[in-house]
Amino acid sequence: HTRINTLNYPSTKAGQVQFVAHELDGRTFKELAAETGVGLNTLLGRKHAAVRHLRRRLEDIRLEFDI
């Protein structure tokens, strides 16, 4: 997904799709788990890792542009 790729999101394609589906498209973890067969805890762990990375990346950008 372009909005995520611009932040160099380091994940598998499945992780990116799940992050976008939840955060940007408003899907629930329960829906995603049912559709993908991936456990809720795994989905939550992937999201947590993604959020940590995105926060670090946004902080780097903030420092780079001194904002």
Side-chain angles (χ1 to χ4, degrees), residues 23 29 52 56 64:
E23 282 298 311
F29 284 118
R52 272 195 334 250
R56 284 191 302 265
E64 181 179 333

Side-chain angles (χ1 to χ4, degrees), residues 1 3 17-28 31:
H1 200 281
R3 292 175 280 189
V17 168
Q18 291 165 1
F19 181 85
V20 169
H22 182 261
E23 282 298 311
L24 303 179
D25 298 335
R27 308 284 305 287
T28 67
E31 290 173 326

